Amino acid sequence: MTPPRPAPSRRALLRALAALPASALVVGEAPGLLGTALAAAPPSGSATRYTIVPFLNSDDGTVNVYQSDDATDFRLLKSAAYRPPSDRIRDAALLKHTDGFYYVTYTTHTWQDPSTTIGFARSADRVNWTWLYDFPVPITGLSRAWAPEWFVDGDSSVGVIVSCSVTSDEWIFTPYLLKATNSALTAWSSPVALSGIGPNHIDTFLVRTGSTYHAFTKNETTKYIEYGTASRATGPYTLSRTGDWAGWGSYREGPSVIQLDNGGWRIFFDGYGDGTYYYSDSYDAFATWSTPRGLPALSGTARHFTVVKETVPGGPSLATGVRRSLRSVNYPTRYWQAQSGLLDLLVVTSSSTAAQKQASAFTVVPGLADPGGFSFTDSAGRHLRHYGFRGRFDADDGTSAFARDATFVARTGTATGSLRFESYNYPGRYLRHYDYQLRVDVADGTDTFRQDSSFVPVTAWA
């Protein structure tokens, strides 16, 4: 946090709402702001990790590597991590294979030039890459093979969906499926067109749930991402959602869809028309989607990527049933402190009064809404919860809304031993200090926000 700065336009409203008694507002947040999605913690002793390797808006000859623990706040792991020995790397799709290696496949030339191959590279650690080969896609009269996307089917077979055009109609693309014929991913079947999607569709991404295949594909004519289903990977697909069916807008491409820890689905796509990289969530089997939000750390820099989700050992740890004080990472003399029913960040030292020390100590308990998360109680037994997006303390009223407001999912902080606390019912919002008040704000992808939202649990002051 920097010293006091201009507040967001609704800050005064939120502060006023936070000071009202619970009876003055609908339980939860202000009307119209109630969250519908839920955050979720990975299994104990593990962490969720999301990795992307986008090519750059400023340089399509290399890729950066980013990772995230919440699929929203992506941090740079390595810049310029891989540059192929020749040509370009665009539309890089990432796979974690059963052999333990990471693989990327990618477009090998600029959009202006003919491009009849797709490239492959491999890494053991996601940051150091080795070029493997460029594969000539065996289609007669091929002009361009673009935007290869990995697809792993229910039988664990590995495929690549690649958008191809022929010289007689070089700007009309059709998606094809290539299937690996060996575990080394060095030999491929003949390409088979995905029927039913129709011509001039590109960047097709497949998801399988049960026996249904779901295709997210860009209509290159209308510039909308469309949706269809089939009973086989190669179709025939029925495109049942076209136009601006999800509210994502046009001039969108590069869809990548993953399932979150909470069971919902998140789509990422490149808003190349306005320079923003977006994500949007669905909790009703792809029928409806949340209003798309930008990824600030990536927008304007990253282009067309695939997201790989893994469960890895480690992750944040916080004991329950013990009292702790929570110290700010970037203001290390300041601690969480309950003040007049609200949570602030105040200076506490050995010379502070007993009352100040008592107000800066909290009992950590399993999350009221999810024991994989955490809740905090003050010395009076009141629970920390967000209300009007402000941290405050109230008695548990036994409702599910209160339980969700009072539950937070621990994420790794910016300093050793530090944690960040994501809102359970507003994923992507974190407890952070702002003008020395604790709020639940949307992560903006900056280092300042990450530090503002990082706290070190230490021995309780009282």
Side-chain angles (χ1 to χ4, degrees):
M1 172 185 163
T2 57
R5 55 200 169 198
S9 60
R10 65 176 184 167
R11 180 176 168 224
L13 171 63
L14 295 179
R15 180 177 284 177
L17 291 173
L20 291 174
S23 59
L25 289 172
V26 175
V27 173
E29 301 302 335
L33 298 177
L34 182 63
T36 56
L38 302 176
S44 178
S46 62
T48 302
R49 185 173 71 195
Y50 303 89
T51 305
I52 60 174
V53 287
F55 80 95
L56 308 182
N57 192 48
S58 60
D59 184 357
D60 63 0
T62 189
V63 290
N64 288 350
V65 181
Y66 298 83
Q67 70 177 28
S68 172
D69 57 3
D70 63 1
T72 303
D73 183 16
F74 284 89
R75 311 182 195 191
L76 181 65
L77 190 61
K78 186 176 181 179
S79 63
Y82 169 67
R83 188 176 293 273
S86 62
D87 301 321
R88 309 290 177 155
I89 175 167
R90 299 173 63 90
D91 316 320
L94 180 64
L95 170 74
K96 174 68 180 294
H97 193 30
T98 53
D99 61 5
F101 285 94
Y102 299 86
Y103 291 80
V104 290
T105 182
Y106 52 91
T107 304
T108 56
H109 291 76
T110 67
W111 67 270
Q112 299 101 324
D113 297 331
S115 179
T116 59
T117 61
I118 54 176
F120 291 86
R122 186 175 72 174
S123 172
D125 59 7
R126 300 176 298 144
V127 295
N128 298 292
W129 292 86
T130 301
W131 177 78
L132 295 178
Y133 61 96
D134 289 345
F135 176 74
V137 178
I139 293 177
T140 301
L142 180 65
S143 173
R144 286 168 171 81
W146 280 5
E149 295 284 356
W150 296 104
F151 174 64
V152 180
D153 211 335
D155 60 0
S156 298
S157 61
V158 177
V160 168
I161 309 295
V162 59
S163 302
C164 296
S165 69
V166 295
T167 53
S168 60
D169 212 345
E170 63 180 341
W171 299 114
I172 301 299
F173 289 86
T174 299
Y176 288 82
L177 173 64
L178 306 167
K179 299 195 76 170
T181 57
N182 63 9
S183 60
L185 308 182
T186 56
W188 299 89
S189 68
S190 297
V192 176
L194 274 59
S195 64
I197 290 180
N200 215 23
H201 284 79
I202 197 170
D203 298 354
T204 301
F205 190 94
L206 297 187
V207 174
R208 179 176 173 173
T209 62
S211 59
T212 301
Y213 295 83
H214 307 261
F216 296 82
T217 184
K218 178 195 177 187
N219 184 317
E220 190 60 36
T221 301
T222 66
K223 313 301 183 185
Y224 290 113
I225 295 173
E226 300 180 341
Y227 167 80
T229 56
S231 58
R232 295 187 306 159
T234 53
Y237 285 86
T238 299
L239 291 181
S240 57
R241 299 287 188 271
T242 60
D244 195 17
W245 66 279
W248 297 328
S250 61
Y251 290 87
R252 309 297 191 234
E253 66 182 15
S256 175
V257 183
I258 57 167
Q259 190 166 30
L260 303 171
D261 285 337
N262 61 10
W265 293 87
R266 175 163 294 181
I267 186 170
F268 300 84
F269 53 86
D270 187 351
Y272 66 99
D274 57 26
T276 303
Y277 222 103
Y278 290 98
Y279 71 93
S280 175
D281 296 341
S282 177
Y283 291 86
D284 55 7
F286 308 138
T288 61
W289 294 82
S290 65
T291 300
R293 289 183 177 273
L295 293 166
L298 302 178
S299 294
T301 299
R303 296 295 310 277
H304 193 142
F305 57 73
T306 295
V307 184
V308 162
K309 175 187 174 185
E310 301 174 84
T311 300
V312 296
S317 177
L318 183 61
T320 57
V322 295
R323 287 175 66 77
R324 289 286 183 262
S325 291
L326 282 298
R327 186 181 70 219
S328 168
V329 162
N330 54 349
Y331 286 79
T333 63
R334 291 180 176 266
Y335 296 77
W336 289 10
Q337 187 174 114
Q339 285 287 316
S340 302
L342 300 176
L343 182 61
D344 292 333
L345 192 75
L346 300 179
V347 174
V348 185
T349 68
S350 58
S351 60
S352 297
T353 66
Q356 290 171 328
K357 293 177 179 178
Q358 185 76 8
S360 303
F362 307 94
T363 301
V364 184
V365 298
L368 292 182
D370 183 342
F374 299 93
S375 295
F376 303 87
T377 60
D378 65 8
S379 58
R382 300 175 302 175
H383 283 80
L384 170 65
R385 54 89 65 94
H386 61 85
Y387 193 84
F389 300 123
R390 178 74 159 92
R392 59 180 288 159
F393 292 89
D394 287 312
D396 182 2
D397 64 10
T399 65
S400 60
F402 184 97
R404 293 175 178 184
D405 285 354
T407 300
F408 300 88
V409 175
R411 307 293 187 190
T412 302
T414 59
T416 301
S418 68
L419 300 173
R420 304 171 70 205
F421 295 100
E422 184 182 15
S423 167
Y424 178 76
N425 53 347
Y426 285 81
R429 285 182 175 265
Y430 286 81
L431 272 172
R432 60 86 63 95
H433 62 85
Y434 188 93
D435 292 348
Y436 308 127
Q437 298 174 343
L438 270 293
R439 307 164 46 86
V440 176
D441 283 345
V442 176
D444 64 12
T446 64
D447 288 337
T448 296
F449 186 98
R450 294 179 188 125
Q451 292 199 45
D452 285 356
S453 57
S454 294
F455 304 94
V456 181
V458 297
T459 302
W461 279 106

